[in-house]
Amino acid sequence: PVKRSQEIQLTRMKLPICEDEQAIMEAISENSVVVICGETGSGKTTQLPQFLYEAGFGNPESDNPGIIGITQPRRVAAMSMSKRVAQELSLDDKRVSYQIRYDATVSSKTVIKFMTDGVMLRELSGDFLLSKYSAIIIDEAHERSLNTDILIGVISRVLRLRKELSEEDKSKIKPLKIIIMSATLRISDFTQNRRLFDIPPPVINVNARQYPVSIHFNKRTPRTDYVTEAFNKICKIHTRLPRGGILVFMTGQNEISILCKKLRNKFPYISSDRTHRNRTVIKEEPPIDEPNEYIHKGYSDRNVDHEIEELAMGENDQDYLDHHDDFDTNSEDSITEFENDVLDKEYAGPLYVLPLYSLLSTRAQMRVFEPPPEGARLCVVATNIAETSLTIPGVTYVVDSGKVKERRYNASSGVQSYVIDWISKASADQRAGRAGRTGPGHCYRLYSSAVFNDQFQQFTVPEIHRTPIEGVILQMKAMNIDTVSNFPFPTPPDRDQLKKAEKLLRYIGALDENNQITSLGRAIATFPLAPRFSKMLIIGQQHECLPYVIAIVSALSVGDPFIKDYHLDGTDSDDGGDEDDLVNYVQTKELNEIQKEIIFKKERRKLMRKKFFDVQKKHSGLDPTSDILKFLNVVGAYEYSGGNEKFCEDNFVRTKAMQEIHKLRGQITKIVQANCQGVDVCVDPKMKPPSAIQLEALRQIIAAGFIDQVAMRKDLVDGMTKTFSSTRGIAYSTMWTNEDVFIHPSSVLYHGKPPDFVVYQELQRTNKVWMKGITIIKPE
Ligand code: ADP
Ligand code: MG
């Protein structure tokens, strides 16, 4: 019997999917695969597991004793959705649990388990029958993440096997049920793919109770500065339009922080427990804890529709636009402007501004689900994390930059780049849809309809075509899927891509010359790491280097923890992803900090920069020969300090990254203990720095991991050795690309002499092709 609170019961009843519960459960009982399509917010993720649970799945006495598994492409979604479902079912996190790379709440009591698609894929290599599950829900299939695609392919095989085995002996193993869920109807790659499912699975369309959303295109498309454009649009919405949350789509953490800061400056939200100098300035400010008159006043006698139209025109209102240009550049001005604004009768009261991106702490992420303070309007500035995986309640207005930051990857050269590009039409529609969940809404697109029609692709390219695939290829081989070319990929990878992956796996010894997995390959596949990093671990058992190698591969897997000073190198090496930088670091501070900063900005920045350089030097060591050893140094120092936030602040590293590295270290250490006989390792918080001999060994281990990523100074290739005093502009040659590559200015090697040979962790294209994560193979 399921216990749900009255309140939850009422909220559930309103979800569109609950009307289809019976139809869905009938389809599931009659078919082994069922596809469910439903608008974001219709209740798929939170309700489907509960339907199964109530139908007896996961109950040891039932016909479906195995637990219910749900996969998510994003970690945030796996965690927050498991929490939500636990709450709805009044169960604890031992029963409704999650597992992601860095964290898990799973126990022997778990009945419903949320996990990332990566975790599920890994479980498959340990137990190909997935015997502990009775049903697997693959969520967000429309996103076409690499792992989800592979997972669907593999699971189609598991399904057949489970069926055959259960027909042999029903008491031993039961058939498995698969539910594939998508927020769009574009699922033919799964349903019409005969190699995947010989009988096309039934598709259930959840009749979404979507309210109409009016789409407003900009007349013109701002060439670059869509952050300012977004800011202006939000100001207009907030000051002129009736209540309702605003959801803004931006591309990355940097932009989000800038925009949040601007908005908070303009429409300060002051919590009652904090005093602030602006409080005395703002006479008109309504008390926070009473309903805000400013929000309601005047709308009844205004023609709202007219306002909305005017807003849609965007650049018509030139005064407004000009007035707010360069808000950020002159601090004195911004204060005056700020004061004028609050005296302006159009001032609409506080805006409760929340950022949302994946590197944000979990606690901060979860705040978007809580109602905003009385009288304040909610404004969430998000990456495309809010496009389909998280439904933020109460959104009436969507502001869409039309942009997304994406990783591009050239399969033959291995060169990566992060580009900010237009989203697809399908994504734009998804984003717009977020405004119509609670009532009719409006979507303001910061681009013209011409741009939308001519330059937006119909659909987003599946991740498999944008990312290295050696990791999943090895995992497939470890599951004895030998002929990868016969695998039922929803969309197959390019031949080049497959070849490059197999070649790399041969180089590191994971495959033999016939592309069959070796015993080393099997060992490599047991770690939740990229194959090169696992290889480093396996050969790392010399000179007592293992604890260091574990720390190194943990850092490499999580990513460079150092905050970059954006403006130092002039190459504008925007790292994509969700990377942080010094500017952000200053900007995300609390409001009163920002006020202080406005006055001391320049001085502080100067001091910061000096401190920043000192820290970089400190971690690079006396003889800077490797960016990767610099990571090791900071990981060691962090643990030594007890792993506190002060350390992170003082050392210009991201707290969340350091915590993840810490967790991954613990986890890898456990796996090593369990898998490698006779090895005794532990995470020693007081790990001594490596000795000279160990450093030499570590350098070799790193080189072995990046054996194919050797770069040679170009003059040596050309057979005419030169001497150089600086690395600037010195070209290197690699084996994967004919293009010249260069030492990135953020490297510890940048300020020394250019070495003959290096290994690099990755190539990244901005204005040139840069090597990053560099290690000198043999220092002089
Ligand atoms: P779908 O998977 O179809 O996109 P969900 O099941 O994620 O839909 O969401 C259904 C509803 O549950 C949404 O209205 C969403 O806002 C709400 N919801 C999800 N998580 C939470 C939470 N942690 N707190 C409050 N409401 C939530
Ligand atoms: Mg969902």
Side-chain angles (χ1 to χ4, degrees):
V2 172
K3 267 192 306 187
R4 292 193 186 90
S5 75
Q6 184 94 39
E7 192 196 336
I8 297 273
Q9 200 62 275
L10 285 174
T11 331
R12 281 190 82 213
M13 301 261 283
K14 293 198 201 114
L15 291 172
I17 201 164
C18 289
E19 282 168 21
D20 300 323
E21 176 168 0
Q22 207 185 340
I24 290 172
M25 290 318 293
E26 271 168 23
I28 291 174
S29 87
E30 284 159 20
N31 301 274
S32 48
V33 188
V34 173
V35 177
I36 298 176
C37 294
E39 263 299 327
T40 305
S42 54
K44 300 183 298 299
T45 311
T46 51
Q47 304 310 315
L48 233 289
Q50 301 186 54
F51 295 170
L52 291 168
Y53 179 73
E54 285 189 84
F57 282 78
N59 180 346
E61 261 97 73
S62 78
D63 271 350
N64 298 293
I67 68 170
I68 303 160
I70 307 102
T71 71
Q72 294 287 331
R74 296 163 197 274
R75 297 206 290 263
V76 199
M79 286 195 299
S80 65
M81 290 298 135
S82 80
K83 285 193 183 132
R84 177 63 182 176
V85 171
Q87 190 191 2
E88 291 199 13
L89 284 172
S90 315
L91 293 174
D92 61 18
D93 65 4
K94 297 269 166 300
R95 290 177 193 274
V96 182
S97 321
Y98 69 82
Q99 185 176 351
I100 59 174
R101 172 144 87 168
Y102 307 107
D103 239 325
T105 57
V106 280
S107 72
S108 57
K109 292 208 182 87
T110 299
V111 213
I112 298 178
K113 171 171 163 183
F114 283 82
M115 68 206 110
T116 52
D117 44 17
V119 164
M120 172 102 273
L121 210 48
R122 196 146 284 290
E123 279 188 17
L124 270 163
S125 52
D127 172 15
F128 194 76
L129 286 176
L130 292 174
S131 31
K132 75 170 187 246
Y133 295 93
S134 60
I136 308 275
I137 303 170
I138 299 173
D139 204 358
E140 311 283 355
H142 66 277
E143 268 200 41
R144 305 303 308 275
S145 88
L146 174 63
N147 285 335
T148 297
D149 267 15
I150 304 289
L151 203 52
I152 292 177
V154 177
I155 283 190
S156 72
R157 301 278 168 99
V158 178
L159 210 59
R160 249 180 260 169
L161 215 59
R162 282 268 291 252
K163 195 160 170 232
E164 284 163 23
L165 288 174
S166 75
E167 277 161 10
E168 276 169 28
D169 182 357
K170 185 115 198 184
S171 66
K172 261 209 196 113
I173 193 147
K174 304 268 162 45
L176 182 68
K177 297 288 184 187
I178 303 295
I179 298 105
I180 298 175
M181 304 207 291
S182 162
T184 73
L185 288 169
R186 199 186 177 235
I187 31 126
S188 55
D189 284 345
F190 308 126
T191 53
Q192 302 307 319
N193 185 337
R194 288 300 161 94
R195 283 169 60 193
L196 206 50
F197 304 115
D198 42 13
I199 310 164
V203 178
I204 296 180
N205 288 312
V206 177
N207 205 351
R209 215 173 293 120
Q210 178 75 12
Y211 293 92
V213 175
S214 320
I215 308 272
H216 310 281
F217 284 100
N218 256 19
K219 255 193 182 157
R220 279 175 283 141
T221 307
R223 214 165 302 143
T224 48
D225 193 6
Y226 52 88
V227 179
T228 305
E229 189 75 11
F231 174 74
N232 292 333
K233 195 70 83 186
I234 297 160
C235 291
K236 286 191 193 176
I237 293 173
H238 185 45
T239 52
R240 298 177 181 191
L241 298 184
R243 55 162 72 221
I246 307 173
L247 173 61
V248 189
F249 286 100
M250 288 283 133
T251 72
Q253 181 178 355
N254 189 37
E255 277 166 22
I256 291 176
S257 304
I258 290 171
L259 187 55
C260 285
K261 181 196 160 192
K262 278 182 152 192
L263 289 166
R264 283 173 180 159
N265 265 344
K266 188 162 166 73
F267 305 109
Y269 160 70
I270 302 154
S271 70
S272 42
D273 57 25
R274 209 189 300 157
T275 49
H276 193 275
R277 64 173 272 261
N278 283 331
R279 226 191 152 87
T280 53
V281 179
I282 309 167
K283 298 269 165 30
E284 281 82 0
E285 197 211 346
I288 287 291
D289 37 8
E290 281 172 30
N292 182 353
E293 290 295 314
Y294 288 74
I295 285 179
H296 314 285
K297 218 177 359 194
Y299 287 116
S300 52
D301 53 21
R302 271 202 215 160
N303 183 344
V304 170
D305 285 340
H306 172 72
E307 295 275 352
I308 286 168
E309 267 321 302
E310 195 185 336
L311 252 163
M313 293 299 134
E315 290 133 87
N316 277 2
D317 200 347
Q318 277 303 331
D319 275 350
Y320 196 90
L321 281 174
D322 294 345
H323 190 65
H324 291 277
D325 263 351
D326 292 328
F327 186 77
D328 210 346
T329 47
N330 190 324
S331 37
E332 292 306 316
D333 273 3
S334 26
I335 290 183
T336 342
E337 187 186 323
F338 171 65
E339 287 175 1
N340 286 341
D341 274 339
V342 294
L343 296 174
D344 182 344
K345 59 182 177 314
E346 289 234 282
Y347 177 61
L351 191 63
Y352 186 57
V353 184
L354 295 176
L356 182 65
Y357 48 82
S358 55
L359 272 185
L360 202 64
S361 73
T362 317
R363 200 162 17 116
Q365 280 169 352
M366 299 298 276
R367 284 204 313 220
V368 301
F369 289 114
E370 293 158 15
E374 272 295 320
R377 189 202 288 266
L378 177 71
C379 176
V380 177
V381 186
T383 57
N384 64 342
I385 199 171
E387 199 175 286
T388 62
S389 37
L390 298 183
T391 306
I392 298 153
V395 172
T396 304
Y397 306 98
V398 164
V399 175
D400 177 18
S401 65
K403 303 275 183 163
V404 68
K405 197 184 288 185
E406 253 185 2
R407 175 155 85 163
R408 298 280 162 82
Y409 174 73
N410 179 316
S412 51
S413 68
V415 180
Q416 302 195 21
S417 53
Y418 289 95
V419 292
I420 294 180
D421 203 351
W422 294 119
I423 55 176
S424 64
K425 287 180 181 159
S427 278
D429 289 344
Q430 275 299 329
R431 290 181 177 189
R434 306 285 61 77
R437 286 289 308 136
T438 34
H442 295 274
C443 173
Y444 295 94
R445 293 182 167 168
L446 305 179
Y447 42 90
S448 70
S449 56
V451 166
F452 175 80
N453 287 324
D454 303 342
Q455 296 184 31
F456 281 39
Q457 304 247 316
Q458 206 64 39
F459 301 102
T460 310
V461 178
E463 193 187 7
I464 195 166
H465 288 152
R466 290 187 277 121
T467 194
I469 56 170
E470 65 263 9
V472 289
I473 297 296
L474 183 63
Q475 271 180 294
M476 286 161 67
K477 301 259 182 188
M479 293 173 215
N480 299 319
I481 301 170
D482 279 332
T483 4
V484 173
S485 51
N486 287 341
F487 184 77
F489 293 102
T491 35
D494 300 335
R495 276 178 67 89
D496 269 2
Q497 217 181 339
L498 203 55
K499 271 201 194 136
K500 157 125 196 195
E502 287 180 334
K503 205 161 165 184
L504 168 61
L505 292 170
R506 285 199 303 273
Y507 278 135
I508 63 172
L511 300 182
D512 64 18
E513 61 276 22
N514 301 319
N515 289 332
Q516 299 291 307
I517 190 164
T518 60
S519 55
L520 176 62
R522 286 194 188 278
I524 287 174
T526 53
F527 294 95
L529 298 169
R532 328 175 166 273
F533 302 159
S534 312
K535 158 102 185 216
M536 286 160 66
L537 271 182
I538 287 162
I539 60 169
Q541 300 169 28
Q542 40 173 309
H543 301 291
E544 290 170 6
C545 277
L546 204 49
Y548 302 114
V549 181
I550 292 174
I552 287 173
V553 297
S554 304
L556 289 173
S557 302
V558 170
D560 187 349
F562 282 96
I563 292 165
K564 308 248 173 6
D565 186 344
Y566 222 62
H567 301 292
L568 292 180
D569 59 39
T571 56
D572 188 23
S573 55
D574 187 358
D575 273 312
D578 288 300
E579 291 222 359
D580 213 334
D581 60 67
L582 183 61
V583 183
N584 269 346
Y585 168 81
V586 176
Q587 279 163 346
T588 50
K589 293 266 150 185
E590 294 294 318
L591 202 61
N592 53 351
E593 281 286 300
I594 291 171
Q595 293 298 328
K596 260 193 253 157
E597 190 212 332
I598 286 175
I599 299 154
F600 296 114
K601 208 172 185 176
K602 277 196 180 149
E603 274 313 299
R604 244 183 86 164
R605 176 154 292 181
K606 237 195 213 155
L607 281 172
M608 279 288 207
R609 282 169 74 100
K610 178 164 176 354
K611 201 175 152 194
F612 178 82
F613 280 118
D614 289 348
V615 165
Q616 304 306 311
K617 228 175 176 167
K618 180 177 86 187
H619 290 297
S620 306
L622 293 173
D623 172 29
T625 55
S626 168
D627 293 318
I628 293 173
L629 293 175
K630 179 180 161 195
F631 295 166
L632 173 63
N633 199 66
V634 80
V635 171
Y638 171 80
E639 298 286 347
Y640 200 92
S641 78
N644 55 47
E645 289 197 13
K646 173 96 172 46
F647 175 91
C648 297
E649 205 171 303
D650 289 344
N651 288 273
F652 297 89
V653 285
R654 291 182 278 125
T655 310
K656 195 170 180 189
M658 295 311 290
Q659 288 166 346
E660 287 180 357
I661 293 170
H662 170 82
K663 286 181 186 161
L664 198 53
R665 263 181 87 186
Q667 208 183 317
I668 295 172
T669 305
K670 266 196 217 139
I671 301 175
V672 169
Q673 279 257 249
N675 288 289
C676 309
Q677 277 166 359
V679 178
D680 189 25
V681 280
C682 64
V683 178
D684 178 5
K686 305 277 158 178
M687 182 168 74
K688 281 201 207 87
S691 68
I693 294 175
Q694 286 173 325
L695 273 179
E696 197 45 50
L698 288 173
R699 206 187 306 283
Q700 281 165 18
I701 291 164
I702 292 168
F706 296 110
I707 189 159
D708 58 315
Q709 301 194 156
V710 177
M712 184 180 188
R713 218 173 59 223
K714 211 174 166 211
D715 58 294
L716 298 175
V717 182
D718 299 340
M720 36 189 213
T721 315
K722 295 183 190 160
T723 42
F724 300 96
S725 54
S726 154
T727 60
R728 189 181 282 260
I730 305 298
Y732 281 79
S733 297
T734 71
M735 63 175 274
W736 294 109
T737 165
N738 291 328
E739 270 185 280
D740 290 348
V741 303
F742 298 87
I743 292 179
H744 191 269
S746 69
S747 171
V748 302
L749 304 184
Y750 187 68
H751 300 285
K753 282 189 199 158
D756 296 354
F757 293 95
V758 295
V759 288
Y760 58 86
Q761 188 192 341
E762 61 181 15
L763 292 181
Q764 218 179 74
R765 183 191 302 281
T766 56
N767 53 341
K768 287 179 182 170
V769 178
W770 301 102
M771 294 185 278
K772 292 181 125 184
I774 309 172
T775 301
I776 300 184
I777 298 182
K778 247 190 165 347
E780 287 162 28

